[in-house]
Amino acid sequence: MTLEQFFHDHPRAAIAFSGGVDSAFLLWAARAYGCDVHAYYVSTAFQPAFEREDARRLAQELGVPMTVIETDVLAVPEAAANGPDRCYHCKRALFSLLWQRARADGHTLLLDGTNASDDAGDRPGMRALRELEVRSPLRECGLTKEEVRARSREAGLFTWDKPAYACLATRIPTGTPITAADLERVERAEDALFALGFSDFRVRLAGDAARIQIPAGQMDGLLKRREEILKQLAPHFSAVLLDLDARTPSR
């Protein structure tokens, strides 16, 4: 089955829209193939502000209506506890909320951007999607991440080369309870590095310290700007550490 066939068979749908590569392409495809589509963005403390702005920008460029749903994900006890099943409980709570809003708007089909490269064994959140009967057209149609990026580039989507970006909760070690304050300082640190021109990195919490993971090709540049980085990050952490095990760029 192709995406065109999928949307021909499903002419009206709600899409869980994150502003990332996959959901952006799915939204474009739905629009291109004549689907009456509505985008829903769930805004929580786990998402950085730039993701919401990217989502809003793309929805506007495509002429697709987008609803922002604000919710307190830290009010989900299992998500805040940050156990090994955090992703499942978070996904279950957020997509239940999404379904509630989509159904209130008259939708009977909810889609997400999971692609064929995503390994179900590595994604506990995908169990929640199955339980809630959320469809994943990219996966169903066999489209890999590489294909999604290539087609996004052909379509002229600015998201085509956007690095993969896991939610801010992944910066907190499993088993360490997640607080709004920790999420805020991690986001502030990553915003500072973005502003200095770095990309595809992570700032992870290590006790009360910040541990920077960055691709090998950017390490020299980071060390050259050591003082600027310390000035930005040191006030918020007990120490600022550089992980010498270079981060593999995510695609």
Side-chain angles (χ1 to χ4, degrees):
M1 178 171 59
T2 66
L3 278 180
E4 185 172 7
Q5 291 170 329
F6 181 92
F7 286 115
H8 180 268
D9 293 341
H10 303 90
R12 189 166 191 265
I15 290 182
F17 185 43
S18 69
V21 178
D22 298 321
S23 63
F25 177 69
L26 181 63
L27 192 67
W28 172 87
R31 186 69 163 176
Y33 298 133
C35 181
D36 178 9
V37 63
H38 192 114
Y40 292 85
Y41 182 93
V42 181
S43 181
T44 77
F46 286 179
Q47 280 75 46
F50 79 82
E51 289 278 55
R52 178 169 170 168
E53 293 312 307
D54 282 356
R56 195 184 301 280
R57 173 186 166 189
L58 189 70
Q60 290 176 344
E61 290 182 0
L62 296 177
V64 173
M66 185 179 94
T67 296
V68 176
I69 304 171
E70 304 275 359
T71 191
D72 180 11
V73 69
L74 294 177
V76 179
E78 299 88 350
N82 197 25
D85 58 354
R86 181 204 72 241
C87 191
Y88 167 79
H89 292 289
C90 178
K91 212 85 161 182
R92 176 92 193 183
L94 299 189
F95 273 82
S96 294
L97 182 63
L98 256 172
W99 253 131
Q100 182 180 3
R101 182 57 186 271
R103 286 192 175 109
D105 291 341
H107 290 283
T108 58
L109 179 65
L110 178 59
L111 312 177
D112 95 306
T114 302
N115 67 62
S117 298
D118 292 324
D119 184 353
D122 292 338
R123 300 281 293 274
M126 290 175 69
R127 176 160 61 98
L129 299 183
R130 289 193 298 270
E131 291 173 357
L132 294 172
E133 298 183 337
V134 177
R135 300 281 298 272
S136 303
L138 301 180
R139 187 177 180 84
E140 292 179 29
C141 295
L143 290 172
T144 65
K145 189 74 165 188
E146 184 177 356
E147 291 173 302
V148 169
R149 287 191 183 277
R151 295 194 187 189
S152 295
R153 186 175 187 176
E154 292 172 4
L157 303 180
F158 73 84
T159 52
W160 78 269
D161 63 345
K162 186 175 179 178
Y165 191 89
C167 80
L168 291 170
T170 62
R171 313 302 196 267
I172 315 298
T174 300
T176 300
I178 300 173
T179 67
D182 281 342
L183 293 171
E184 288 169 5
R185 61 178 175 161
V186 166
E187 182 177 4
R188 189 180 300 117
E190 293 196 346
D191 284 346
L193 290 181
F194 277 126
L196 291 173
F198 299 102
S199 63
D200 210 3
F201 57 81
R202 296 288 186 267
V203 176
R204 301 193 188 277
L205 201 63
D208 195 48
R211 177 167 61 93
I212 301 173
Q213 293 179 314
I214 198 161
Q218 299 181 53
M219 249 186 218
D220 286 347
L222 186 141
L223 290 172
K224 289 176 182 177
R225 308 190 74 170
R226 182 180 65 87
E227 292 185 5
E228 293 175 80
I229 292 168
L230 283 173
K231 182 178 179 180
Q232 294 287 333
L233 273 61
H236 310 294
F237 301 94
S238 62
V240 179
L241 314 174
L242 173 61
D243 191 336
L244 294 180
D245 187 8
R247 173 177 165 75
T248 301
S250 57
R251 298 295 294 172

